[in-house]
Amino acid sequence: MCKTYPQRGQDRTYPIHKVVMDTLKTWHKITDIIKEEVSAANFRTWFSKTSLKEVKDKEVKISVPSTFIKEQLNSRYRELLLNASKKILGTEVEITFNIEPSKISTQEPLLQDGGVFFAEKTTPAILNPKYTLDNFVVGLSNNVAYAAAQAIIQNPGLSYNPLLVYGGTGVGKTHLMLGIGNAMLSNNPSLKVIYASSEKFTNDYVEAIQTRNMLKFRNRYRSSDLLLIDDIQFLSGREGTQEEFFHTFNELQSKNSQIILTSDRPPNEMAKLEARLQSRFQGGLMVDIQLPDFDTRVAILRAKCQERGEHLPEEVLHTIASALETNGRELEGRLMQLIQILKIQNQNITPETVSQLLGQPTLNSKLSADYRQVLAEICRYFNIKHSELTGPKRNKELVLPRHISMYILSEDLHLTVEKIGHVLGKRDHTTVLHGRDRIKKLINQDREVQRICIELKSKLAQPQ
Ligand code: ADP
Ligand code: MG
């Protein structure tokens, strides 16, 4: 394989189109191996906009569209890239990344769900119309956040600025934020609204630097009447972006433009978030959204059925809500899954058929992630390094994530205990059994452990 590749010193005599063809083919072969290892959704998200720039002196240079994708490939898929490249090129290689801003797509795959919208003064902004305050179910878990939303709509820029909504995944943060945006737009269609995830903000900033378009970037973000930034936890550790965000923030605040932010944790738990940003966030209103209680879960299920024109008996909604103590996203996903399965099986939707299905292990084991993604997600969640997770230290902060890794790899990915021991730093299989069983027990006793596992699984079940 390697022989067909232009070697050093041969470049000048090598026909250029052949070099390009070889590069293309090599990248195809490498990514074919990767495709087998990762889910289709992950492949699309992380690899679809990459290409092989060149292979030189055992250095495999990969073109990527953004710093964010580079970081993700580096932290999640480095090992996979190294192995696949080694297999195809027949030699040990180094991986490097080359950011090519020209390849930055206007629509990052991560954002397709919520969408990214930027409105010029002349054209009305469009936020995803699926998310409104009318179809946001209010209950004990989110009524404070909802009240803040109403206050902002009545008095934008003046009541709570910024509003920071935080909470676990799938609890409705993005829904609420876009709901506020939609309500404000319907009051005033010429409002200049920007909605972006913090990755989008970061990518725009990096692109502005690289293409020397800083002025345009600043004008754009700093002239908005309503700025919605989703998932600001991803700003952690990005110093340049934080600095820029800080200034954007100050300017908007001084003009009383409304800022709304979401995060998966409170700012004081965001490691590597500049103190001055933390204090800015704390200067506004911070509200959390909890996992929905039983009544709210029933109401969410009812609302989702209505949206899709499905009519399910109340007892069925109750059965589902009591079996699934989880967030809105997972409730919705499982509800649709149940309806689909029962339709395929030509069965009536009754509390009995539903509870039978809810008890089936196949419904629970729906993770398409591979073990590397699971470990990477767990490290990210607990903010620890892979080397700490797999290393010898036994402090409490590391043992819980390690045991949860054992549990998820065993229960959801069905890896053997030997394999789990191996990927977690060559641990003995009895250690793995102990860790897995401890979490199995804790899940029924400790709500915090239960919440962590549900959140992790729901993060892993989402296309990323
Ligand atoms: P987050 O941003 O907190 O991860 P989302 O806002 O994306 O969560 O919500 C995930 C899904 O769950 C969406 O389809 C949303 O409509 C639904 N959902 C969550 N909470 C509620 C709620 N209280 N009312 C209606 N739908 C909800
Ligand atoms: Mg969200």
Side-chain angles (χ1 to χ4, degrees):
M1 219 56 75
C2 185
K3 273 183 236 135
T4 62
Y5 224 84
Q7 300 294 308
R8 210 156 106 90
Q10 291 181 342
D11 300 35
R12 240 175 285 152
T13 55
Y14 214 85
I16 197 77
H17 70 274
K18 181 134 182 43
V19 176
V20 174
M21 270 315 289
D22 277 352
T23 313
L24 272 177
K25 273 193 204 156
T26 308
W27 191 234
H28 266 295
K29 286 181 188 159
I30 293 175
T31 49
D32 275 348
I33 297 182
I34 291 171
K35 261 185 208 160
E36 285 174 18
E37 299 281 325
V38 306
S39 71
N42 275 334
F43 187 84
R44 222 173 27 247
T45 307
W46 305 119
F47 292 93
S48 64
K49 291 193 193 119
T50 58
S51 59
L52 184 61
K53 192 166 173 67
E54 59 176 357
V55 181
K56 218 175 182 181
D57 297 339
K58 298 193 175 177
E59 177 187 341
V60 173
K61 193 176 268 184
I62 301 167
S63 297
V64 292
S66 68
T67 328
F68 182 66
I69 298 223
K70 172 187 158 177
E71 283 169 7
Q72 295 295 316
L73 289 177
N74 211 3
S75 63
R76 296 172 164 212
Y77 298 111
R78 191 175 192 89
E79 201 188 329
L80 193 56
L81 279 165
L82 280 172
N83 290 339
S85 308
K86 183 179 163 193
K87 216 168 183 172
I88 297 304
L89 298 168
T91 174
E92 294 282 352
V93 291
E94 269 295 310
I95 302 275
T96 56
F97 296 97
N98 198 53
I99 300 163
E100 295 193 13
S102 61
K103 294 195 174 164
I104 292 181
S105 148
T106 47
Q107 198 170 28
E108 285 286 335
L110 264 175
L111 302 172
Q112 275 169 4
D113 194 17
V116 181
F117 306 92
F118 168 64
E120 298 292 347
K121 271 246 175 325
T122 46
T123 38
I126 312 159
L127 294 174
N128 193 335
K130 199 175 116 189
Y131 300 114
T132 65
L133 290 185
D134 291 339
N135 64 13
F136 184 78
V137 174
V138 185
L140 285 176
S141 53
N142 58 21
N143 56 4
V144 179
Y146 182 79
Q150 294 293 359
I152 284 173
I153 294 164
Q154 270 150 35
N155 229 341
L158 299 171
S159 23
Y160 305 116
N161 205 11
L163 171 69
L164 171 67
V165 183
Y166 67 91
T169 182
V171 294
K173 303 182 296 294
T174 302
H175 186 144
L176 186 74
M177 178 159 88
L178 292 176
I180 302 175
N182 275 321
M184 282 174 61
L185 270 172
S186 84
N187 289 344
N188 177 4
S190 64
L191 206 68
K192 204 166 166 186
V193 182
I194 298 183
Y195 164 63
S197 69
S198 63
E199 292 102 336
K200 167 76 179 155
F201 184 86
T202 305
N203 289 345
D204 284 355
Y205 171 66
V206 171
E207 189 188 1
I209 295 175
Q210 282 165 347
T211 57
R212 299 202 170 81
N213 261 328
M214 213 50 198
L215 197 64
K216 197 170 146 210
F217 169 86
R218 287 189 177 142
N219 284 343
R220 208 175 106 172
Y221 277 97
R222 295 185 192 183
S223 64
S224 55
D225 303 311
L226 172 64
L227 179 65
L228 310 170
I229 304 278
D230 214 353
D231 290 319
I232 57 160
Q233 70 272 12
F234 292 122
L235 289 178
S236 279
R238 296 208 167 101
E239 284 162 25
T241 314
Q242 286 189 23
E243 163 102 27
E244 186 56 34
F245 188 65
F246 179 74
H247 295 299
T248 308
F249 194 100
N250 284 348
E251 188 146 337
L252 290 178
Q253 223 180 17
S254 68
K255 293 191 297 183
N256 289 336
S257 297
Q258 180 69 46
I259 303 160
I260 304 178
L261 312 162
T262 73
S263 163
D264 71 353
R265 65 202 80 171
N268 58 2
E269 284 176 25
M270 264 183 258
K272 299 189 190 147
L273 182 72
E274 275 188 39
R276 58 180 177 168
L277 268 183
Q278 294 207 10
S279 78
R280 278 290 184 285
F281 297 159
Q282 277 151 7
L285 178 69
M286 293 191 292
V287 283
D288 72 331
I289 301 188
Q290 301 277 334
L291 281 177
D293 56 82
F294 176 79
D295 290 337
T296 315
R297 294 200 294 278
V298 172
I300 291 178
L301 289 166
R302 198 183 294 122
K304 299 299 169 190
C305 283
Q306 258 164 16
E307 274 168 29
R308 288 177 162 73
E310 300 283 351
H311 302 283
L312 262 55
E314 278 295 299
E315 314 87 86
V316 169
L317 302 183
H318 285 217
T319 309
I320 303 174
S322 60
L324 303 175
E325 287 186 25
T326 184
N327 62 59
R329 179 179 294 128
E330 197 175 354
L331 277 177
E332 191 176 356
R334 297 288 293 269
L335 172 75
M336 292 308 135
Q337 200 180 26
L338 286 168
I339 295 178
Q340 227 174 5
I341 294 177
L342 290 172
K343 275 186 183 163
I344 291 169
Q345 294 178 347
N346 225 350
Q347 291 198 59
N348 285 335
I349 304 180
T350 63
E352 291 71 36
T353 54
V354 164
S355 23
Q356 220 173 17
L357 272 183
L358 286 171
Q360 275 185 9
T362 49
L363 258 182
N364 297 324
S365 47
K366 60 188 169 48
L367 295 189
S368 58
D370 69 21
Y371 77 83
R372 294 178 192 84
Q373 290 164 282
V374 171
L375 299 186
E377 189 61 74
I378 289 175
C379 287
R380 207 176 6 255
Y381 188 92
F382 288 100
N383 203 9
I384 58 176
K385 294 199 192 92
H386 184 267
S387 57
E388 292 173 320
L389 182 71
T390 56
K393 284 207 183 126
R394 296 222 216 139
N395 10 344
K396 215 170 75 200
E397 297 74 32
L398 300 178
V399 168
L400 183 69
R402 207 173 280 147
H403 286 174
I404 289 180
S405 307
M406 292 166 181
Y407 169 76
I408 293 184
L409 293 181
S410 167
E411 294 293 298
D412 295 279
L413 266 63
H414 309 296
L415 259 52
T416 62
V417 281
E418 286 78 15
K419 169 87 181 173
I420 297 172
H422 186 77
V423 303
L424 282 171
K426 302 208 167 68
R427 292 186 144 74
D428 190 72
H429 75 276
T430 51
T431 314
V432 176
L433 280 174
H434 163 77
R436 181 196 69 186
D437 292 343
R438 177 177 164 236
I439 300 299
K440 257 187 177 176
K441 209 164 103 193
L442 277 181
I443 269 192
N444 296 317
Q445 297 168 354
D446 182 333
R447 288 185 75 82
E448 184 59 12
V449 171
Q450 186 186 56
R451 189 183 61 81
I452 293 172
C453 289
I454 289 173
E455 276 185 21
L456 274 169
K457 284 188 192 189
S458 120
K459 270 184 206 273
L460 287 161
Q462 284 164 42
Q464 297 175 31

